[in-house]
């Protein structure tokens, strides 16, 4: 395999997923005279969040999904935000609701997520949906980033059964649901979940067939922490200063790509790896939400 064949092209795979979604949306529009609808709620003015929200709204338009962007000032109280969600919960044009994370510190994010109608919880963060995920019930929503990783593996024909997968990071949005999906029946990996209190992480990663890095630390995973032939999935998106560039920053993953790529059998780049998949799977969940609404 030459070097470019090692790269798992998230942009291309996401484009394939998006093409499928656009076809599903077109079929829904034809059959029901309606469109799946997504509401994206942004509280405050976090620059990265603004970029994510704009990308989601733009992708909706490209795929024929109706969207509403609701931007609230950073002083918005939790009660005010809950009122906005209560209205969206009963809005028939809206099938999926997403509150962009992080919310300002005075707001309890999990309380907000749990106020979303679980049948509209396209991020799959609601306690009911997380519970179903752990029970192995994948008939509803799946969490966008870990589901995107699973799709990258599947569509790149990378087997997980019987493999030792090491996940670095135990967040509710990436690490923990990633553990659930990789260890589920059908995926059948043996999973080790590492975090900031894990001593000697390299002792685990050096034994891994598959490493998912979701740490939030630029270039955390170094070449000497990886065995030859391992598959590397880099979830990290970190802004590091880049004076003299137009934006003043560049995006760097949690993997030291130049050191790790020569040893890896397959690897995702940043950008252009997991990132595009997250939004692609959000769109898929919005279509699922439309079908769920039909059942009620
Ligand atoms: P997070 O909530 O900050 O969690 C980071 C995890 O890494 C925590 O479990 C933390 O351990 C662990 N960690 C931190 N420092 C560590 C260290 N020195 N050694 C070992 N473990 C350490 O982050 P997240 O939301 O999961 O996001 C992780 C990264 O993925 C970020 O760069 C984020 O921007 C990116 N991300 C990308 C996408 C995408 O679409 N590609 C989606 C979501 C997130 P403790 O639990 O012990 O604190």
């Amino acid at each position: 395999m030459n070097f470019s064949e090692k790269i798992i092209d998230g942009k291309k795979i996401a484009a394939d997923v998006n093409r499928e979604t656009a076809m599903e949306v077109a079929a829904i529009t034809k059959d029901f005279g309606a469109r799946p609808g997504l509401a994206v709620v942004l509280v405050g003015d976090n620059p990265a969040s603004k970029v994510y929200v704009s990308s989601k709204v733009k992708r909706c338009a490209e795929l024929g999904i109706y969207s509403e962007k609701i931007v609230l000032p950073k002083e918005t109280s939790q009660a005010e935000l809950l009122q906005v969600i209560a209205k969206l919960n009963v809005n028939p044009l809206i099938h999926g609701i997403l509150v962009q994370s992080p919310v300002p510190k005075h707001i309890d994010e999990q309380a907000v997520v749990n106020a979303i109608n679980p049948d509209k919880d396209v991020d799959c963060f609601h306690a009911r949906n997380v519970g179903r995920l752990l029970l192995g019930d994948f008939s509803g929503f799946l969490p966008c980033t870990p589901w995107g990783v699973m799709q990258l593996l599947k569509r790149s024909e990378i087997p997980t059964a019987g493999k030792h997968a090491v996940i670095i990071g135990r967040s509710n949005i990436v690490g923990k649901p990633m553990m659930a999906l990789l260890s589920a029946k059908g995926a059948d990996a043996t999973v080790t979940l590492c975090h900031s209190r894990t001593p000697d992480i390299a002792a685990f990663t050096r034994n891994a067939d598959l490493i998912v890095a979701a740490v939030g630390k630029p270039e955390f995973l170094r070449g000497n922490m990886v065995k030859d032939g391992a598959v590397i999935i880099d979830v990290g998106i970190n802004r590091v200063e880049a004076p003299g560039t137009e934006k003043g920053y560049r995006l760097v993953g949690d993997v030291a790509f130049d050191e790790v790529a020569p040893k890896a059998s397959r690897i995702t780049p940043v950008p252009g790896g997991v990132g595009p998949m997250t939004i692609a799977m959000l769109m898929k969940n919005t279509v699922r939400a439309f079908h769920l609404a039909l059942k009620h």
Side-chain angles (χ1 to χ4, degrees):
M1 185 177 277
N2 67 36
F3 190 79
S4 66
E5 285 170 342
K6 279 188 184 191
I7 308 296
I8 301 174
D9 188 346
K11 260 190 176 166
K12 183 189 167 296
I13 297 172
D16 292 342
V17 174
N18 287 331
R19 215 170 299 115
E20 293 161 21
T21 304
M23 283 164 63
E24 285 180 71
V25 172
I28 285 173
T29 309
K30 183 166 167 276
D31 294 345
F32 300 99
R35 294 198 287 164
L38 176 69
V40 185
V41 183
L42 173 64
V43 189
D45 51 12
N46 178 311
S49 294
K50 279 164 108 174
V51 174
Y52 292 142
V53 163
S54 300
S55 309
K56 288 166 187 176
V57 169
K58 184 167 159 249
R59 192 56 38 77
C60 282
E62 287 165 6
L63 303 187
I65 292 173
Y66 169 72
S67 72
E68 284 182 22
K69 176 166 130 183
I70 298 159
V71 181
L72 303 170
K74 61 178 184 300
E75 304 76 28
T76 304
S77 70
Q78 182 163 322
E80 285 164 337
L81 178 56
L82 291 178
Q83 272 177 10
V84 170
I85 288 170
K87 279 194 191 146
L88 293 170
N89 277 343
V90 293
N91 182 339
L93 295 177
I94 296 300
H95 306 96
I97 303 169
L98 173 159
V99 179
Q100 184 62 46
S101 180
V103 292
K105 287 200 167 45
H106 63 275
I107 294 177
D108 175 352
E109 191 157 353
Q110 195 57 45
V112 171
V113 165
N114 283 336
I116 294 174
N117 174 349
D119 285 345
K120 296 192 177 189
D121 167 40
V122 281
D123 263 339
C124 193
F125 292 165
H126 190 286
R128 185 199 77 177
N129 294 328
V130 176
R132 286 186 176 175
L133 175 72
L134 280 174
L135 292 170
D137 174 357
F138 299 157
S139 61
F141 300 121
L142 291 176
C144 301
T145 301
W147 189 19
V149 171
M150 297 308 287
Q151 287 294 313
L152 284 178
L153 294 170
K154 189 174 167 203
R155 290 170 189 248
S156 306
E157 297 179 3
I158 296 168
T160 52
K163 304 293 181 189
H164 179 206
V166 171
I167 301 168
I168 316 172
R170 58 175 163 183
S171 73
N172 289 336
I173 62 164
V174 188
K176 280 194 234 166
M178 194 73 250
M179 172 187 70
L181 290 178
L182 279 169
S183 60
K185 280 206 162 63
D188 299 322
T190 303
V191 179
T192 301
L193 186 65
C194 299
H195 46 76
S196 69
R197 309 301 298 271
T198 306
D200 194 7
I201 285 190
F204 295 96
T205 55
R206 279 193 208 110
N207 274 308
D209 304 306
L210 165 66
I211 301 173
V212 180
V215 201
K217 299 246 181 310
E219 304 193 325
F220 178 87
L221 188 76
R222 310 301 302 251
N224 62 3
M225 298 168 76
V226 174
K227 77 172 179 186
D228 283 331
V231 174
I232 310 294
I233 304 289
D234 189 353
V235 178
I237 303 178
N238 308 290
R239 285 184 178 203
V240 298
E241 279 183 29
T245 60
E246 194 190 325
K247 289 181 174 163
Y249 68 87
R250 64 192 174 93
L251 294 181
V252 175
D254 288 346
V255 175
F257 186 89
D258 291 345
E259 290 179 16
V260 174
K263 297 179 86 176
S265 60
R266 305 296 305 274
I267 186 167
T268 59
V270 175
V274 176
M277 293 303 289
T278 297
I279 299 189
M281 304 330 286
L282 173 69
M283 299 295 117
K284 272 221 167 294
N285 270 343
T286 305
V287 171
R288 284 189 172 190
F290 179 89
H291 289 296
L292 274 179
L294 284 181
K295 290 187 186 158
H296 298 300

